[in-house]
Amino acid sequence: MSQQLTLALSKGRIFEETMPLLNAAGIVVTEDPETSRKLILQTNDPGVRVIIVRASDVPTYVQYGAADFGVAGKDVLLEHGGEGLYQPIDLNIARCRMSVAVSAGFNYASAVRQGARLRVATKYTETARQHFAAKGVHVDLIKLYGSMELAPLVGLSDAIVDLVSTGSTLRANNLVEVEEIMQISSRLVVNQAAMKMKRERLQPILAAFERAAAATL
Ligand code: ATP
Ligand code: MG
């Protein structure tokens, strides 16, 4: 069996914030995914390659063993369910929070108090469902794939569940954060079979990731 390792990453903040961790493991990606159109990137280590996939597809590639390991946000992992994945390390990168937001004029507390049925638009339907069920709030969930901020502005929904870091996108669209659901960071996920079969190759990399992630706290 080949001991080649494949790491699944998404472009953007996860790729950028994973690079220092990879470097700490002695691995340097020799191509830039932003300028190259390649989806398979080589590294200075002939035994390690990086594949570039959509953020929400990282758990799927790792679950089926098309990638041995990957980096995915807690938001993405909760929606995926984590089946077939080891989640050994919180890398503490790509930090943000998942929150409920509404239009500035909407009285969220009063709507919840009165037991009104709330229309909630989100990409994170699984997490939203659990959050509102735990609070005993009745919701109609509307699945979206992006630009959630628009939904309350045009009357698609009363509220959104979305990721927030600085809050500037919410402010720019006259929305107010009314509830924090959870803190989000990205985690390393490892294919369960690879964890057994490729342990010798994976272990030093996981250890380096863990040390580097702890050093940034
Ligand atoms: P796509 O753009 O392919 O639809 P995405 O928007 O989920 O997917 P990114 O924007 O690259 O992809 O986000 C990747 C991960 O980074 C998210 O899953 C989340 O964990 C984290 N993230 C998203 N938004 C922020 C943010 N504003 N600040 C910090 N981390 C964030
Ligand atoms: Mg995005």
Side-chain angles (χ1 to χ4, degrees):
M1 184 184 185
S2 153
Q3 288 290 86
Q4 158 96 210
L5 292 179
T6 300
L7 171 65
L9 297 176
S10 53
K11 264 200 242 186
R13 55 172 68 84
I14 287 190
F15 184 89
E16 278 144 32
E17 296 188 35
T18 301
M19 286 309 105
L21 305 176
L22 263 186
N23 296 349
I27 298 162
V28 180
V29 179
T30 48
E31 288 165 302
D32 177 1
E34 299 297 340
T35 57
S36 152
R37 291 174 178 218
K38 290 185 188 167
L39 299 176
I40 300 180
L41 306 177
Q42 303 306 322
T43 72
N44 65 329
D45 182 337
V48 182
R49 63 180 184 171
V50 172
I51 61 172
I52 301 297
V53 304
R54 194 81 186 258
S56 47
D57 290 335
V58 166
T60 307
Y61 277 82
V62 176
Q63 172 186 1
Y64 288 100
D68 300 296
F69 58 146
V71 177
K74 184 180 179 185
D75 50 319
V76 161
L77 291 168
L78 287 172
E79 291 299 310
H80 172 271
E83 198 190 330
L85 305 175
Y86 270 128
Q87 298 185 34
I89 308 171
D90 181 353
L91 299 174
N92 278 303
I93 61 171
R95 296 178 64 89
C96 53
R97 56 191 183 273
M98 192 176 295
S99 292
V100 183
V102 300
S103 285
F106 183 80
N107 193 334
Y108 176 72
S110 151
V112 166
R113 206 164 42 238
Q114 287 164 15
R117 238 188 136 76
L118 214 60
R119 283 207 301 176
V120 179
T122 185
K123 187 163 145 183
Y124 305 103
T125 47
E126 209 35 59
T127 311
R129 187 187 320 283
Q130 285 175 26
H131 173 71
F132 290 110
K135 282 172 60 92
V137 174
H138 296 288
V139 292
D140 291 317
L141 292 171
I142 301 172
K143 169 80 181 183
L144 291 178
Y145 294 87
S147 300
M148 266 81 83
E149 299 83 3
L150 185 60
L153 306 182
V154 296
L156 178 63
S157 71
D158 303 312
I160 60 172
V161 167
D162 199 4
L163 300 177
V164 183
S165 50
T166 63
S168 57
T169 306
L170 292 182
R171 273 192 297 282
N173 291 293
N174 203 26
L175 300 176
V176 184
E177 187 177 359
V178 288
E179 200 162 76
E180 178 182 310
I181 298 178
M182 66 179 77
Q183 292 286 320
I184 299 287
S185 57
S186 283
R187 285 100 206 284
L188 191 71
V189 293
V190 183
N191 174 271
Q192 288 183 348
M195 196 66 208
K196 297 196 191 86
M197 308 291 288
K198 300 186 178 182
R199 181 169 208 97
E200 271 172 43
R201 284 287 285 131
L202 277 166
Q203 203 50 56
I205 300 176
L206 303 196
F209 269 46
E210 193 156 27
R211 275 195 306 276
T216 63
L217 279 183

Coordinates of all heavy atoms in Angstrom, one line a residue, residues 13 25 34 36 44 62 81 92 110 119 127 130 138 155 158 163-164 167-168 177 205 207:
R13 N -9.0 31.4 3.7 CA -8.4 31.5 5.0 C -8.0 30.1 5.5 O -6.9 30.1 6.2 CB -9.4 32.1 6.0 CG -10.8 31.4 6.1 CD -11.6 32.0 7.2 NE -12.0 33.4 6.9 CZ -13.1 33.7 6.2 NH1 -13.8 32.8 5.6 NH2 -13.4 35.0 6.0
A25 N 5.6 21.2 10.3 CA 5.8 19.8 10.1 C 6.9 19.5 9.0 O 7.1 18.4 8.6 CB 4.5 19.1 9.8
E34 N -4.2 30.2 -5.5 CA -4.9 31.4 -5.9 C -4.5 31.7 -7.4 O -5.3 32.3 -8.1 CB -4.6 32.6 -5.0 CG -5.1 32.4 -3.6 CD -6.6 32.2 -3.4 OE1 -7.4 32.6 -4.3 OE2 -7.1 31.6 -2.4
S36 N -2.5 29.4 -9.4 CA -2.5 28.2 -10.3 C -4.0 27.7 -10.3 O -4.8 27.9 -9.4 CB -1.7 27.1 -9.6 OG -2.1 25.8 -9.9
N44 N 7.2 20.1 -1.1 CA 8.6 19.7 -1.1 C 8.8 18.3 -0.7 O 9.9 17.7 -0.9 CB 9.4 20.7 -0.1 CG 9.0 20.5 1.3 OD1 7.8 20.1 1.6 ND2 9.9 20.7 2.2
V62 N -12.4 13.2 3.0 CA -11.7 12.5 4.0 C -12.4 11.2 4.4 O -11.9 10.1 4.6 CB -11.4 13.4 5.2 CG1 -10.7 12.6 6.4 CG2 -10.5 14.5 4.8
G81 N -21.8 15.8 10.0 CA -22.1 14.8 11.0 C -20.9 14.0 11.5 O -20.9 13.3 12.5
N92 N -7.5 25.7 16.1 CA -7.7 27.1 16.6 C -7.4 28.2 15.5 O -7.0 29.3 15.7 CB -6.8 27.4 17.8 CG -7.5 26.9 19.0 OD1 -8.6 27.3 19.3 ND2 -6.8 26.0 19.7
S110 N -39.0 39.5 21.6 CA -40.5 39.5 21.7 C -41.1 38.4 20.9 O -42.0 37.7 21.3 CB -41.0 40.9 21.4 OG -42.3 40.8 20.8
R119 N -39.2 32.4 10.9 CA -38.6 31.9 9.6 C -37.1 32.3 9.6 O -36.7 33.4 9.7 CB -39.3 32.6 8.4 CG -40.6 32.0 8.1 CD -41.0 32.1 6.7 NE -41.1 33.5 6.3 CZ -41.3 33.9 5.1 NH1 -41.5 33.0 4.1 NH2 -41.4 35.2 4.8
T127 N -27.4 22.6 12.3 CA -27.0 23.3 13.6 C -28.2 24.2 14.0 O -28.5 24.3 15.2 CB -25.7 24.2 13.3 OG1 -24.8 23.3 12.7 CG2 -25.2 24.7 14.6
Q130 N -31.0 22.2 15.6 CA -30.7 21.8 17.0 C -30.8 22.9 18.0 O -31.3 22.8 19.1 CB -29.3 21.1 17.0 CG -29.3 19.7 16.4 CD -27.9 19.1 16.3 OE1 -27.0 19.5 17.1 NE2 -27.7 18.2 15.4
H138 N -40.1 27.4 17.7 CA -40.6 26.8 16.5 C -40.0 27.6 15.3 O -40.2 28.8 15.2 CB -42.1 26.7 16.5 CG -42.6 25.9 17.5 ND1 -42.5 24.5 17.5 CD2 -43.3 26.2 18.7 CE1 -43.1 24.0 18.6 NE2 -43.5 25.0 19.3
G155 N -37.4 40.1 2.9 CA -38.6 39.4 3.4 C -38.6 37.9 3.2 O -39.6 37.3 3.3
D158 N -37.2 36.0 8.8 CA -37.2 36.9 9.9 C -35.7 37.0 10.4 O -35.3 38.0 11.0 CB -38.0 36.4 11.1 CG -39.5 36.2 10.7 OD1 -40.0 37.1 10.1 OD2 -40.0 35.1 11.0
L163 N -22.1 32.8 10.0 CA -20.9 33.0 10.7 C -20.6 34.5 10.8 O -20.8 35.2 9.8 CB -19.7 32.3 10.0 CG -19.9 30.7 9.8 CD1 -18.8 30.2 9.0 CD2 -20.0 30.1 11.2
V164 N -20.0 34.9 11.9 CA -19.7 36.3 12.1 C -18.3 36.3 12.7 O -17.9 35.5 13.6 CB -20.7 36.9 13.2 CG1 -20.3 38.4 13.4 CG2 -22.1 36.7 12.8
G167 N -18.3 41.4 12.3 CA -19.7 41.9 12.3 C -19.9 43.0 11.3 O -20.9 43.6 11.2
S168 N -18.8 43.3 10.5 CA -19.0 44.4 9.6 C -19.9 44.1 8.4 O -20.6 45.0 7.9 CB -17.6 44.8 9.0 OG -16.9 43.8 8.4
E177 N -26.8 41.3 15.4 CA -26.5 39.9 16.0 C -27.3 39.9 17.3 O -27.1 40.7 18.2 CB -25.0 39.8 16.3 CG -24.5 38.4 16.7 CD -23.0 38.4 16.8 OE1 -22.4 39.4 16.6 OE2 -22.5 37.3 17.2
I205 N 3.3 14.3 11.7 CA 2.6 15.5 11.1 C 1.6 16.0 12.1 O 1.5 17.2 12.4 CB 2.0 15.2 9.7 CG1 3.1 14.8 8.8 CG2 1.3 16.4 9.2 CD1 2.6 14.4 7.4
A207 N 1.5 15.5 15.3 CA 2.2 16.0 16.5 C 2.7 17.4 16.2 O 2.6 18.3 17.1 CB 3.4 15.1 16.9

